[in-house]
Amino acid sequence: MTAWDLAVVGSGPAGAATAIGALRVDPSLRVALLDRAEFPRDKSCGDGIAPHVIDLLDGAGVTGIVDGHVPVSRLRLEKGSHRVDRTMRRPTWVIPRATFDLRLVDAARTAGATLLRHRVRELAEGSTLVLDGELEARTVVGADGAYSTVARALGMAPGPTAVALRGYAPTPPNRSGAQVIVFDTEGQPAYAWSFDRGDGLSNVGYGELLGRRHRPTKAEMMERLDTLLPAATDGGTDWKGHHLPLVTGRWRPPAGRILLAGDAAGLVNPITGEGIYYAVATGLAAGRAAAEAVIAGHPATAGARYARMTKRLLSGHLRHVAAAAWLGQHSRVVDAGLRASTSDQRVFDDLVELGLARGRITTTLARGLVRELATGTRSRRIEPRRNGL
Ligand SMILES: Cc1cc2nc3c(=O)[nH]c(=O)nc-3n(C[C@H](O)[C@H](O)[C@H](O)COP(=O)(O)OP(=O)(O)OC[C@H]3O[C@@H](n4cnc5c(N)ncnc54)[C@H](O)[C@@H]3O)c2cc1C
């Protein structure tokens, strides 16, 4: 059996970033990057890549990720008859995951990781860690997504979850050059989106928070998507659904030699459904923590190192985003947020930051919300729109 210094389970953004993070500490480490799928592989996603992700990758020496793709600066938020259409402080990107993830995996391989096609089913902990009786490792990072085998092996309980469905459809002129998000006015917190890829197609989809009783079917999600974004499914292909494990304010990484990153760690932004920023940020940190622990000769200290790094990186933000998601379950608060974003670009910018990366509920944002909640009258309430775009 090869004894790996680090075995990374899953080669999505979290897994590839983990390998890159470890090999930046020491390029001679033996890092196995495992995935059950062969790359390039598709992943159900809105394909929205925040500029902060590119910053993190740049900082880790990974370049060329957005080559050939066009930046998107406009964000349109809608709920019922209300619409905010503004330019974001920094443009985002819409890159199909088959391309984005392959570029990250290639960067990890260039850094020295060994990519292995392998579906992990079992993880045994003894003097070393053994995967499926055939792969031995000093440290393991579970980056195996929303249905993580590694998180289950650690006994992690699942938290709040959303479900979403996406497809690719021709971009109509009225949604060209923009990311469009339309909040649902009925039932569970939910929204539909249309993200222009810039090549004639848009990533379109619908997602909602899963309640205790209601589990939407594919047909129901397609129907909500078409209701919120009329004709969004016309000419659509590649429909694919997936669960999103949402952040809570109480996130704690496990101790010891087995770490979790990205969706496997339950890290999806509950306001926007964005998870790639957290996946890359926690992946880079997990890789660094595992590498430093192995080099120090104490693999079991990886968890404590990772906890320190992620606390610095995320803990304040995660509390703020969890509080904002809780508030956002109240329709009046979402209405107030849209009105405040209409009247003040700074509120809009702060909301975007909270939804995309490490933002907080700033004083500007809180003041804007309170002002609109206080002045919102019955006549200003946002009613469901009846006649589409
Ligand atoms: C419909 C939808 C829209 C979304 N839109 C956005 C968006 O626009 N922007 C954004 O930032 N985020 C978005 N997200 C969230 C984003 O897709 C995830 O947060 C992101 O993919 C997390 O990356 P990851 O590497 O943790 O997991 P994944 O990307 O899921 O990668 C996990 C990898 O592990 C592999 N794997 C799983 N189990 C095993 C196993 N047992 N053995 C070996 N390999 C295994 C899988 O094959 C996969 O390659 C969306 C999610 C959904 C469902």
Side-chain angles (χ1 to χ4, degrees):
M1 249 193 292
T2 313
W4 299 95
D5 293 312
L6 166 63
V8 186
V9 184
S11 309
T18 301
I20 292 164
L23 290 158
R24 275 183 71 79
V25 175
D26 182 349
S28 71
L29 288 177
R30 284 158 302 173
V31 176
L33 186 53
L34 314 171
D35 206 288
R36 64 182 178 198
E38 191 174 334
F39 282 73
R41 64 102 180 83
D42 188 17
K43 154 79 175 73
S44 174
C45 187
D47 300 334
I49 313 288
H52 315 72
V53 173
I54 309 305
D55 294 345
L56 285 174
L57 293 171
D58 264 351
V62 180
T63 55
I65 293 294
V66 303
D67 285 359
H69 294 271
V70 283
V72 183
S73 298
R74 270 179 54 222
L75 174 64
R76 196 158 90 212
L77 303 172
E78 299 181 16
K79 180 166 180 260
S81 57
H82 198 96
R83 176 183 287 195
V84 186
D85 192 337
R86 284 194 177 275
T87 301
M88 289 178 280
R89 200 153 40 197
R90 298 176 67 199
T92 60
W93 305 85
V94 184
I95 307 175
R97 290 287 301 273
T99 305
F100 179 76
D101 290 20
L102 178 63
R103 287 180 176 178
L104 286 191
V105 163
D106 282 346
R109 294 174 75 181
T110 304
T114 303
L115 182 67
L116 299 174
R117 183 134 186 229
H118 181 106
R119 181 192 201 113
V120 172
R121 291 191 164 79
E122 205 179 82
L123 172 55
E125 214 177 341
S127 58
T128 58
L129 302 164
V130 180
L131 299 160
D132 299 325
E134 54 182 281
L135 289 157
E136 192 183 357
R138 294 192 172 81
T139 53
V140 165
V141 174
D144 46 346
Y147 315 113
S148 171
T149 302
V150 179
R152 251 198 334 273
L154 285 172
M156 308 298 283
T161 305
V163 66
L165 176 79
R166 79 94 232 261
Y168 293 115
T171 308
N174 64 346
R175 296 202 297 264
S176 160
Q179 294 202 337
V180 180
I181 292 178
V182 184
F183 295 96
D184 210 339
T185 48
E186 291 173 13
Q188 290 291 109
Y191 74 74
W193 71 84
S194 167
F195 294 169
D196 187 6
R197 298 183 354 181
D199 60 356
L201 291 177
S202 285
N203 181 313
V204 292
Y206 169 85
E208 72 174 51
L209 181 68
L210 279 182
R212 255 184 235 125
R213 280 184 293 275
H214 183 63
R215 309 257 137 183
T217 62
K218 179 180 175 187
E220 285 168 339
M221 291 200 279
M222 302 275 278
E223 192 271 326
R224 287 316 295 159
L225 172 55
D226 263 339
T227 303
L228 295 167
L229 273 167
T233 62
D234 285 5
T237 58
D238 300 289
W239 297 103
K240 220 178 169 104
H242 205 82
H243 287 94
L244 299 90
L246 305 176
V247 155
T248 67
R250 295 183 304 277
W251 186 71
R252 298 270 177 288
R257 292 174 290 176
I258 306 170
L259 315 182
L260 296 172
D263 278 18
L267 286 172
V268 174
N269 189 309
I271 305 174
T272 53
E274 302 259 336
I276 296 172
Y277 172 76
Y278 298 138
V280 171
T282 55
L284 289 171
R288 201 176 119 205
E292 288 177 0
V294 166
I295 291 165
H298 299 291
T301 62
R305 292 168 193 269
Y306 181 54
R308 276 197 298 277
M309 291 176 198
T310 48
K311 189 169 180 199
R312 268 200 309 274
L313 194 69
L314 290 177
S315 76
H317 160 76
L318 293 183
R319 278 199 304 278
H320 282 238
V321 90
W326 181 81
L327 288 169
Q329 296 193 26
H330 304 274
S331 190
R332 283 182 61 227
V333 179
V334 179
D335 296 351
L338 290 182
R339 288 198 303 266
S341 298
T342 305
S343 56
D344 189 339
Q345 173 79 36
R346 293 168 312 155
V347 172
F348 175 83
D349 289 339
D350 289 353
L351 259 182
V352 169
E353 200 64 19
L354 192 62
L356 288 191
R358 288 173 63 192
R360 296 186 179 223
I361 303 175
T362 59
T363 314
T364 306
L365 178 51
R367 279 205 188 117
L369 282 175
V370 170
R371 188 184 60 237
E372 289 300 335
L373 282 168
T375 58
T377 60
R378 221 180 129 61
S379 62
R380 293 179 70 192
R381 267 187 48 202
I382 294 170
E383 302 297 343
R385 190 179 52 230
R386 312 241 174 256
N387 53 356
L389 282 176

